[in-house]
Structures are given as C-alpha cells and as structure tokens.
C-alpha cells in the first residue's frame, strides 16, 4: 500500500489494523562513471515496496535527497545538511504521529545517512514529548540498511570479493540494473581505484577518489545479480519489520 497512491480514508482504515509505516530514504549523489546518481534512493525505494507487499504495510514517499556533502564535488550531486535532514525527518514523524502511526521503519540506501538518522530519531522523540502529542511515548523508529543485511553482505563477498568496495559498489549498481534495465551505463574504468582514505570535505574527497569510486569494481554488476540482492534484502527486511512491529 503506497501512501501517495492511497486516499485518507484508506489510511484511516489501515490504522485500525496497524500503526506501522515503512519510509525509504536514499541519496542523490555520484556513483562513479557507471553508477546512477539516484542509486541509493532507487535501491531503497524498490526494496521498501517489496517489503511493503510482503508485510502488508504502508510505504511512504521516498526521501530522495540525504546527507551527501562529501559527494558535492561531482556534478549532479545534491545534499542536505545534517541539521536540515534532522528537521525533515522530525517533521515527517510528527505529521504521521498525529495521524496515528507509532512504528517508523526507515529502509536506508546510503551509509552517509546513518549518523544523521539516529540523531533525528532522538530529536524526534524529545520533540513529540514536548508537544504532548497523543501516543508520543509509544513512537519508535528503526533503521534498516539494506546493504548491511547479512545475506546481502555474504552474497556480495561471494560474487565480488574485495572488489565490492564501499561506494559505487557492484552490488548496488546491480540492483539498479535490475530495477532499471534500460538505464544501464557503460564507461571505461581504471583497474586502479582508490580506497581506504578518510572522508573530509567535498574537494578533498574528489582529490582522493577522482572517479568517485571507493575500492569498487561496478563492471562486475549484472541485472541477474541485482535480482538476487533484491530478493535477499526484501526477505531479511520483511522479517525485521515484522519483528519490530510486533515488539513492545
């Protein structure tokens, strides 16, 4: 059940049965010479829809822009400041809590969002309490990073070994190829790819990682691999969502 394709009466009926909602969040940032700029949001959205179908849950609109300041040295990348993303998440949660939702399961496709999202959850709990919104003390938020699912991590290692890397990875590129087979990109990739450098500002990041990749070889990606990653992530996160939904 996609929130944006539902009516308010349908949502009201749903809330009589469940107070859980799935919110996909990603990023709009460079993913190397062959990775789509929308990769993180595409992956999160596709998997969230799959989990929503498997778990009979409402899926909210995808948050396409995240915290990606270190990628903004590459054209097309868009980022929110951490403080902006915290406020956005707080406003989402506040609006939906007023409606009656209390269980917020964020399916995340971008590692750079993790710290900010955890901070946003803490600020949201305090904000709801200050507003005395009904059921504020029952609101719980959970973060599900699809790329950190045990089965996904295991398959990536089996398929790609050390060439999985940590950004513009073949696993995430494969998933976008599965979702959007008409948008598969080809470009020459140097066999020498930077890895292991700390992340600072955008100019420093581009200097250390000149083509945007971080230890990865996305040329290994295939749509068939993407289908495998999709199915594994949906299964793992569906179980996680249902456990979260039914927990006290």
């Amino acid at each position: 059940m996609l929130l944006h394709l539902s009516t308010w009466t349908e949502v009201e009926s749903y809330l009589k049965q469940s107070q859980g909602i799935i919110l996909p969040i990603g990023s709009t940032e460079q993913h190397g010479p062959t990775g789509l700029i929308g990769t993180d949001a595409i992956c999160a959205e596709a998997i969230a829809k799959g989990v929503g179908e498997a778990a009979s849950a409402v899926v909210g609109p995808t948050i396409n822009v995240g915290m990606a300041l270190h990628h903004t040295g590459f054209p097309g990348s868009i980022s929110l400041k951490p403080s902006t993303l915290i406020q956005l998440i707080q406003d989402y949660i506040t609006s939906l809590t007023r409606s009656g939702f209390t269980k917020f399961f964020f399916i995340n496709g971008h590692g750079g969002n993790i710290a900010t999202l955890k901070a946003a959850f803490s600020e949201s709990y305090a904000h709801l309490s200050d507003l005395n919104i009904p059921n504020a003390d029952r609101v719980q938020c959970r973060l599900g990073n699809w790329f950190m699912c045990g089965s996904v991590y295991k398959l990536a290692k089996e398929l790609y070994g050390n060439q999985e890397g940590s950004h513009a990875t073949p696993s995430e590129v494969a998933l976008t190829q599965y979702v959007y087979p008409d948008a598969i990109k080809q470009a020459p990739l140097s066999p020498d790819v930077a890895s292991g450098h700390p992340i600072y500002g955008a100019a420093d990041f581009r200097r250390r990682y000149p083509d945007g990749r971080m230890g990865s070889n996305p040329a290994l990606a295939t749509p068939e691999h993407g289908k495998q990653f999709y199915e594994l992530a949906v299964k793992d996160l569906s179980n996680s969502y249902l456990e979260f939904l039914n927990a006290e």
Side-chain angles (χ1 to χ4, degrees), residues 190-223:
S190 170
D192 298 321
V193 57
S195 65
H197 300 297
I199 296 175
Y200 297 110
D204 182 77
F205 184 95
R206 180 152 186 178
R207 183 167 54 249
R208 294 176 186 269
Y209 300 102
D211 74 352
R213 294 180 296 152
M214 299 177 71
S216 63
N217 182 9
L220 300 175
T222 70

Side-chain angles (χ1 to χ4, degrees), residues 166-229:
S166 57
H167 180 66
T169 63
S171 60
E172 61 184 343
V173 170
L175 182 48
T176 65
Q177 291 178 345
Y178 170 61
V179 177
Y180 287 110
D182 293 336
I184 296 174
K185 309 295 183 180
Q186 303 291 337
L189 296 173
S190 170
D192 298 321
V193 57
S195 65
H197 300 297
I199 296 175
Y200 297 110
D204 182 77
F205 184 95
R206 180 152 186 178
R207 183 167 54 249
R208 294 176 186 269
Y209 300 102
D211 74 352
R213 294 180 296 152
M214 299 177 71
S216 63
N217 182 9
L220 300 175
T222 70
E224 292 74 24
H225 292 168
K227 183 175 187 291
Q228 291 178 266
F229 286 118

Side-chain angles (χ1 to χ4, degrees), residues 151-172:
S151 61
V152 168
Y153 182 83
K154 180 180 178 182
L155 180 61
K157 286 300 181 184
E158 290 175 355
L159 292 174
Y160 313 126
N162 292 333
Q163 295 186 82
E164 167 71 353
S166 57
H167 180 66
T169 63
S171 60
E172 61 184 343

